[in-house]
Amino acid sequence: MWGIIATWRMALEGIEEAQDILENQGSASEAIEVAIQNVEDFPYYKSVGYGGLPNENMEVELDAAYMDGDTLDIGAIGAIKDFAHPISIAKQLSKEKVNNMLVGQGAEKYADHENFEKKIMLTDRAKIHYYNRKKEIEEQQIKPYDGHDTVGMVCLDNSGKMTAGTSTSGLFMKKQGRIGDSPLSGSGFYVDSKVGGATATGLGEDLMKGCISYEIVRLMKEGKHPQEACEIAVCQLDKELKERRGQAGDISVVAMNNQGEWGVATNIDGFSFVVASAIQSPIVYLVKNINGKCIHEVASEKWLEEYIQERIKPIVQK
Ligand code: ASP
């Protein structure tokens, strides 16, 4: 049995590539890297890799992580600039004995030394978004939280090995050096081949408060189905945050156990995700949270068409 689950519709084409690998007895470590690289390469996704939206200094700073569920090896990078595939750098770091998480200049130095592909990740389109947003902020004091959405994946291969990976440009207009949950083990991702894995997207500052990915894996280890584990973890964190702080940021998660069973939960409307497995070709779903129960349905052709049109439509500088 193999399976792969990912946050957001943007993962679809990457998941299709992963399917080919997994069907042909490829490993979860190769499949997840190829799938995430695909998302990093696509210029119209504003929140991952090339074309990701910049920080307040108009620099694209990227976070990524990779985890091996057999060995529990973890590699992560934070706030790295001008490298094409953050996921691959994170994966390589996971194989080092120490120094597994590097940020900023240190991460760049490592990536350069290891000959990872350099690339200017700031596109003209992202610059237009930046200038438009700057103008909006000046005019209306809008909070710099838009154009986020991390790609996170959990993968199981035919040998029973599981992996997790994340890649993101984080929050649009974030402060220089800001690092979200995505490269943080337990918050943005966690995987254990003996149990299963989970990954999160949403407001990193809040996701960290519940170490939500680890919490989901912990619940699955207690015997919960991934769906139940996701719902409990999201509901609990959402409730705690609201009780203690008056509000909760966006929290969306996906999980898969080592049997290929999967689950998803969110506290927002409009969260989409993609799943493929030995018994299911890649499908995009949409999720809704109705009083703590997360109901998912297959995305319609109309929704899928509008999604792409919205991503690639021409934009003008205001
Ligand atoms: N969790 C990411 C961050 O805070 C953003 C997102 O997934 O929307 O950097």
PDB file of all heavy atoms in Angstrom, residues 145-157:
ATOM      1  N   TYR A 145      -1.129  39.650   6.556  1.00  0.00           N
ATOM      2  CA  TYR A 145      -1.385  38.210   6.562  1.00  0.00           C
ATOM      3  C   TYR A 145      -2.283  37.843   5.395  1.00  0.00           C
ATOM      4  O   TYR A 145      -3.492  37.910   5.463  1.00  0.00           O
ATOM      5  CB  TYR A 145      -2.022  37.781   7.881  1.00  0.00           C
ATOM      6  CG  TYR A 145      -2.212  36.282   7.956  1.00  0.00           C
ATOM      7  CD1 TYR A 145      -1.130  35.431   7.746  1.00  0.00           C
ATOM      8  CD2 TYR A 145      -3.446  35.729   8.210  1.00  0.00           C
ATOM      9  CE1 TYR A 145      -1.281  34.062   7.798  1.00  0.00           C
ATOM     10  CE2 TYR A 145      -3.612  34.352   8.271  1.00  0.00           C
ATOM     11  CZ  TYR A 145      -2.518  33.531   8.062  1.00  0.00           C
ATOM     12  OH  TYR A 145      -2.673  32.182   8.112  1.00  0.00           O
ATOM     13  N   ASP A 146      -1.656  37.514   4.317  1.00  0.00           N
ATOM     14  CA  ASP A 146      -2.394  37.147   3.121  1.00  0.00           C
ATOM     15  C   ASP A 146      -1.385  36.477   2.200  1.00  0.00           C
ATOM     16  O   ASP A 146      -0.192  36.680   2.337  1.00  0.00           O
ATOM     17  CB  ASP A 146      -2.959  38.415   2.470  1.00  0.00           C
ATOM     18  CG  ASP A 146      -3.779  38.078   1.239  1.00  0.00           C
ATOM     19  OD1 ASP A 146      -4.294  36.954   1.166  1.00  0.00           O
ATOM     20  OD2 ASP A 146      -3.875  38.922   0.347  1.00  0.00           O
ATOM     21  N   GLY A 147      -1.872  35.688   1.262  1.00  0.00           N
ATOM     22  CA  GLY A 147      -0.945  35.081   0.305  1.00  0.00           C
ATOM     23  C   GLY A 147      -0.036  34.090   0.994  1.00  0.00           C
ATOM     24  O   GLY A 147       1.079  33.873   0.574  1.00  0.00           O
ATOM     25  N   HIS A 148      -0.518  33.493   2.079  1.00  0.00           N
ATOM     26  CA  HIS A 148       0.276  32.464   2.748  1.00  0.00           C
ATOM     27  C   HIS A 148      -0.068  31.122   2.098  1.00  0.00           C
ATOM     28  O   HIS A 148      -0.302  31.077   0.926  1.00  0.00           O
ATOM     29  CB  HIS A 148       0.011  32.490   4.253  1.00  0.00           C
ATOM     30  CG  HIS A 148      -1.430  32.418   4.588  1.00  0.00           C
ATOM     31  ND1 HIS A 148      -2.033  31.278   4.998  1.00  0.00           N
ATOM     32  CD2 HIS A 148      -2.388  33.350   4.520  1.00  0.00           C
ATOM     33  CE1 HIS A 148      -3.310  31.512   5.208  1.00  0.00           C
ATOM     34  NE2 HIS A 148      -3.549  32.759   4.920  1.00  0.00           N
ATOM     35  N   ASP A 149      -0.105  30.067   2.797  1.00  0.00           N
ATOM     36  CA  ASP A 149      -0.414  28.702   2.347  1.00  0.00           C
ATOM     37  C   ASP A 149       0.858  27.907   2.081  1.00  0.00           C
ATOM     38  O   ASP A 149       1.509  28.062   1.051  1.00  0.00           O
ATOM     39  CB  ASP A 149      -1.252  28.641   1.056  1.00  0.00           C
ATOM     40  CG  ASP A 149      -2.624  29.252   1.230  1.00  0.00           C
ATOM     41  OD1 ASP A 149      -2.935  29.671   2.361  1.00  0.00           O
ATOM     42  OD2 ASP A 149      -3.359  29.305   0.236  1.00  0.00           O
ATOM     43  N   THR A 150       1.144  27.045   3.015  1.00  0.00           N
ATOM     44  CA  THR A 150       2.323  26.189   2.914  1.00  0.00           C
ATOM     45  C   THR A 150       1.961  24.895   2.215  1.00  0.00           C
ATOM     46  O   THR A 150       0.894  24.356   2.472  1.00  0.00           O
ATOM     47  CB  THR A 150       2.785  25.833   4.344  1.00  0.00           C
ATOM     48  OG1 THR A 150       3.142  27.045   4.984  1.00  0.00           O
ATOM     49  CG2 THR A 150       3.940  24.865   4.351  1.00  0.00           C
ATOM     50  N   VAL A 151       2.850  24.385   1.377  1.00  0.00           N
ATOM     51  CA  VAL A 151       2.624  23.026   0.910  1.00  0.00           C
ATOM     52  C   VAL A 151       3.278  22.092   1.932  1.00  0.00           C
ATOM     53  O   VAL A 151       4.447  22.222   2.280  1.00  0.00           O
ATOM     54  CB  VAL A 151       3.127  22.784  -0.532  1.00  0.00           C
ATOM     55  CG1 VAL A 151       4.637  22.878  -0.653  1.00  0.00           C
ATOM     56  CG2 VAL A 151       2.634  21.435  -1.017  1.00  0.00           C
ATOM     57  N   GLY A 152       2.470  21.174   2.440  1.00  0.00           N
ATOM     58  CA  GLY A 152       2.954  20.174   3.391  1.00  0.00           C
ATOM     59  C   GLY A 152       2.463  18.823   2.915  1.00  0.00           C
ATOM     60  O   GLY A 152       1.342  18.717   2.415  1.00  0.00           O
ATOM     61  N   MET A 153       3.305  17.799   3.020  1.00  0.00           N
ATOM     62  CA  MET A 153       2.906  16.470   2.538  1.00  0.00           C
ATOM     63  C   MET A 153       3.339  15.393   3.529  1.00  0.00           C
ATOM     64  O   MET A 153       4.355  15.535   4.216  1.00  0.00           O
ATOM     65  CB  MET A 153       3.559  16.163   1.188  1.00  0.00           C
ATOM     66  CG  MET A 153       3.222  17.160   0.105  1.00  0.00           C
ATOM     67  SD  MET A 153       3.728  16.540  -1.517  1.00  0.00           S
ATOM     68  CE  MET A 153       3.356  17.994  -2.529  1.00  0.00           C
ATOM     69  N   VAL A 154       2.545  14.313   3.526  1.00  0.00           N
ATOM     70  CA  VAL A 154       2.910  13.100   4.261  1.00  0.00           C
ATOM     71  C   VAL A 154       2.814  11.958   3.250  1.00  0.00           C
ATOM     72  O   VAL A 154       1.833  11.870   2.515  1.00  0.00           O
ATOM     73  CB  VAL A 154       1.948  12.838   5.437  1.00  0.00           C
ATOM     74  CG1 VAL A 154       2.306  11.517   6.123  1.00  0.00           C
ATOM     75  CG2 VAL A 154       1.985  13.988   6.435  1.00  0.00           C
ATOM     76  N   CYS A 155       3.835  11.106   3.231  1.00  0.00           N
ATOM     77  CA  CYS A 155       3.901  10.077   2.186  1.00  0.00           C
ATOM     78  C   CYS A 155       4.239   8.704   2.782  1.00  0.00           C
ATOM     79  O   CYS A 155       5.054   8.605   3.705  1.00  0.00           O
ATOM     80  CB  CYS A 155       4.981  10.508   1.182  1.00  0.00           C
ATOM     81  SG  CYS A 155       5.149   9.435  -0.228  1.00  0.00           S
ATOM     82  N   LEU A 156       3.600   7.682   2.234  1.00  0.00           N
ATOM     83  CA  LEU A 156       3.833   6.284   2.636  1.00  0.00           C
ATOM     84  C   LEU A 156       4.189   5.499   1.372  1.00  0.00           C
ATOM     85  O   LEU A 156       3.461   5.593   0.373  1.00  0.00           O
ATOM     86  CB  LEU A 156       2.537   5.729   3.237  1.00  0.00           C
ATOM     87  CG  LEU A 156       2.384   4.216   3.375  1.00  0.00           C
ATOM     88  CD1 LEU A 156       3.297   3.669   4.475  1.00  0.00           C
ATOM     89  CD2 LEU A 156       0.920   3.858   3.692  1.00  0.00           C
ATOM     90  N   ASP A 157       5.282   4.737   1.411  1.00  0.00           N
ATOM     91  CA  ASP A 157       5.591   3.946   0.209  1.00  0.00           C
ATOM     92  C   ASP A 157       5.305   2.457   0.433  1.00  0.00           C
ATOM     93  O   ASP A 157       4.933   2.046   1.542  1.00  0.00           O
ATOM     94  CB  ASP A 157       7.022   4.209  -0.294  1.00  0.00           C
ATOM     95  CG  ASP A 157       8.106   3.670   0.635  1.00  0.00           C
ATOM     96  OD1 ASP A 157       7.839   2.736   1.408  1.00  0.00           O
ATOM     97  OD2 ASP A 157       9.238   4.194   0.568  1.00  0.00           O
TER      98      ASP A 157
END
